[in-house]
Amino acid sequence: MSTREVRPTDQAPEGATHPNAKPVLSFTARRRGKAPRHLVDLDLAERKEAVAAVGIPAFRADQLSRHYFEHMLGDTAQMTDLPASLRPKLGEELFPKLLTEITAQHADKGQTIKTLWELFDGARVESVLMRYPHRTTLCLSSQAGCGMACPFCATGQMGLTRNLSTGEMVEQVRVARLACARGDIGDGPTHLTNVVFMGMGEPLANWRHLVGTLHRLVRDVPEGFGMSARNITVSTVGLVPAIDKLSGLGIPVTLAVSLHAPDDDLRDDLIPINSRWKVGELLDAARRYFMATGRRVSIEYALIRDMNDQPWRAQLLADELNKRGRTWAHVNPIPLNPTPGSIWTASTQSAQDEFVDTLRRAGISTTIRDTRGSDIDGACGQLATAVEKVSSSRKKRPVPVHIERRSENE
C-alpha cells in the first residue's frame, strides 16, 4: 500500500487561475443586489398584505399560494381561475422570473439532471435532480459561489458572489417538483421526496434566507410544500454558532457536517474555516444538534487519494465520534470525482475499502455515498466553471443547449 502523503498545499486549489493561488476565506459578498420580491419570500400573512396593497382582495393570496405550492405554477397566465384582468398585475408584483436555464446535462441513463441557472443579475448557480429506486432528491444551491475557499471544491474557488434569496432557493424546488411530475427524469412521473442543501454555497452562511426556505418546505399548503423535515438535509463545513442556532429552530432537518479530516493539522489546510472552529468544537456542536433534535448527524468525508484516506485517520475519526457517544453520527465516505493529473482525485478502491472497514470495526455506522454525474461536470461548481470558460473564450454569452451524456458503465 502507498505510504505517500500529499498535502492541500502541494498544488494550487482546484480551478485556480494561477499556480501560486491560495485559499481565501470570505463572508463578504461581491454583489449587494437584492433579488426581486417573490410570493414565497413572504409568509401567508405578508402575502395577503401584498395582494391588498395593489387593490386586490386578500383572499387571492391563498389562491395564489395554492397554485404555487400545490400545482407548481409560477406564471399567473396559467392560473386560469383568476380573473384575466388581475393576472398581469399579480404576475408583475409577486411572480418575477427568478431562474433562467442556461444549460442542462443528463447522466446515469437519464436518472440525473444537472442544471445551470442564471439569476436576475447574471449570477449563476447549479442544482442537481437525482432519481433513485425509492426516492428522488434535489441538491440545491444556497449561494452564488462560496466564500469557504475549500481548495478541492470548484465552487470554493469562485469566491462568494452573493446570497440567494428565499424565493431563489424555493424556485429551485418548485421547478424540480414540476419536472418530477412531468416525468422529465427517469422513466415516467415521480415525486420529489428529498431536498439537500449541498449545492453551491455554505447554507448556514445565508442564515436568514435558509430559515425562510426551510419554513416554505415543511409548512403545509398553502403556506408551503408540506415536506417532512426528516427528508431535508442541511450541510455545513463547520459554522459552529449557526449549528447551535439550527438546533433551536424547531425544524429537525438532518445536519450534514462536511468534515473531510479528523485532525486539525490537515483540516486547517483542507477546510479554511477550521482556523476559526477546530474539529473538536465542530463535533461537539454536531453532538449538541443530535441531543436537541434526536436526528442522527451525517459526517461527510470526501476520500482524497493519499491525502486523507489513511487507515490511521479512519481510526482517529472513529475515536473522535465514539468518545462523544454511540450511534449519534453516521459517516458517509464520498469517492471524489476524479480529476486527472491533480492531487484532488479519488482514493484507490483498496484504500477506500480499508478506510470503511476501519470505521465499521470501531462500531461506526458507515455507508459509501452513491455518487452521481461522474461522466459529466458532476462536482459542485464544475458546470458553472466550464460554461464560464467557454463564454470567455468566445467573448460572448453561451447559447443555451441541452447536453445528453450517459455513462457507459450503467
Side-chain angles (χ1 to χ4, degrees):
M1 180 176 294
S2 172
T3 58
R4 174 174 177 260
E5 181 173 345
V6 300
R7 301 289 298 190
T9 51
D10 289 347
Q11 181 179 298
E14 181 74 2
T17 56
H18 58 90
N20 296 320
K22 302 296 182 185
V24 178
L25 187 68
S26 174
F27 288 88
T28 303
R30 293 197 298 266
R31 298 186 192 177
R32 293 293 181 182
K34 186 177 181 181
R37 184 184 68 167
H38 192 281
L39 177 88
V40 298
D41 289 314
L42 312 174
D43 62 28
L44 194 55
E46 291 169 334
R47 293 172 209 166
K48 291 178 179 179
E49 292 175 2
V51 168
V54 294
I56 295 171
F59 77 86
R60 296 290 184 189
D62 183 272
Q63 193 175 7
L64 292 168
S65 300
R66 291 182 184 278
H67 275 301
Y68 185 92
F69 289 109
E70 190 169 11
H71 304 294
M72 286 82 74
L73 297 180
D75 182 357
T76 55
Q78 299 175 306
M79 302 176 188
T80 54
D81 59 347
L82 291 173
S85 60
L86 299 182
R87 293 176 209 164
K89 184 65 173 177
L90 287 169
E92 179 183 340
E93 292 291 330
L94 292 172
F95 290 90
K97 188 172 181 60
L98 298 179
L99 305 178
T100 299
E101 183 179 312
I102 297 300
T103 188
Q105 293 184 337
H106 297 241
D108 305 306
K109 294 185 177 179
Q111 304 293 305
T112 300
I113 303 175
K114 183 167 190 173
T115 306
L116 177 65
W117 305 101
E118 185 167 273
L119 309 180
F120 81 99
D121 57 355
R124 292 176 176 180
V125 298
E126 301 169 2
S127 64
V128 186
L129 186 59
M130 298 162 284
R131 184 168 181 170
Y132 299 91
H134 303 295
R135 71 185 187 280
T136 301
T137 299
L138 173 70
C139 178
L140 64 76
S141 292
S142 57
Q143 296 178 313
C146 183
M148 298 298 100
C150 301
F152 59 92
C153 174
T155 304
Q157 302 318 304
M158 294 177 181
L160 176 61
T161 298
R162 68 170 174 85
N163 288 327
L164 267 60
S165 68
T166 295
E168 289 169 325
M169 286 190 275
V170 176
E171 265 288 272
Q172 293 176 65
V173 179
R174 181 190 69 84
V175 295
R177 288 171 68 94
L178 186 59
C180 289
R182 290 191 307 231
D184 294 349
I185 184 167
D187 302 317
T190 185
H191 180 68
L192 183 68
T193 58
N194 295 68
V195 171
V196 297
F197 289 78
M198 293 183 173
M200 298 173 72
E202 163 57 50
L204 295 185
N206 186 9
W207 175 256
R208 182 167 67 89
H209 295 132
L210 170 67
V211 171
T213 302
L214 292 176
H215 282 303
R216 305 302 177 267
L217 295 186
V218 302
R219 289 182 176 172
D220 291 334
V221 175
E223 293 188 79
F225 289 118
M227 296 185 67
S228 169
R230 298 176 64 85
N231 293 340
I232 299 169
T233 299
V234 175
S235 70
T236 180
V237 294
L239 278 63
V240 167
I243 292 173
D244 288 329
K245 288 170 65 176
L246 190 65
S247 298
L249 187 61
I251 303 176
V253 299
T254 297
L255 174 69
V257 173
S258 296
L259 190 67
H260 307 315
D263 55 307
D264 290 323
D265 177 55
L266 175 59
R267 198 170 193 267
D268 282 347
D269 290 334
L270 193 58
I271 310 291
I273 200 66
N274 205 69
S275 62
R276 299 197 184 186
W277 297 289
K278 298 300 185 182
V279 169
E281 295 173 275
L282 174 55
L283 293 180
D284 286 344
R287 170 69 180 182
R288 290 194 296 271
Y289 186 86
F290 166 77
M291 296 299 292
T293 64
R295 300 289 295 140
R296 188 170 64 168
V297 175
S298 290
I299 303 296
E300 309 296 305
Y301 199 104
L303 289 168
I304 306 171
R305 184 172 182 172
D306 296 328
M307 185 181 296
N308 68 351
D309 59 355
Q310 300 86 357
W312 72 264
R313 280 198 164 95
Q315 186 62 56
L316 178 59
L317 174 57
D319 293 343
E320 288 291 333
L321 297 177
N322 282 333
K323 77 180 184 182
R324 291 170 172 80
R326 298 280 179 166
T327 73
W328 69 275
H330 179 95
V331 176
N332 282 320
I334 307 165
L336 199 71
N337 275 342
T339 304
S342 169
I343 64 173
W344 314 111
T345 195
S347 299
T348 64
Q349 186 65 51
S350 61
Q352 175 181 296
D353 291 345
E354 186 169 6
F355 194 93
V356 170
D357 288 346
T358 301
L359 289 171
R360 288 176 176 166
R361 286 195 303 270
I364 302 297
S365 175
T366 305
T367 304
I368 291 287
R369 172 73 64 82
D370 179 15
T371 57
R372 290 291 187 97
S374 59
D375 56 327
I376 57 175
D377 299 307
C380 181
Q382 286 184 349
L383 180 54
T385 302
V387 171
E388 182 62 29
K389 287 179 179 177
V390 171
S391 178
S392 298
S393 66
R394 293 178 179 174
K395 304 298 182 183
K396 64 180 182 179
R397 289 179 59 174
V399 177
V401 61
H402 293 271
I403 305 170
E404 182 87 23
R405 298 179 66 183
R406 299 174 184 268
S407 170
E408 297 300 323
N409 298 321
E410 294 294 329

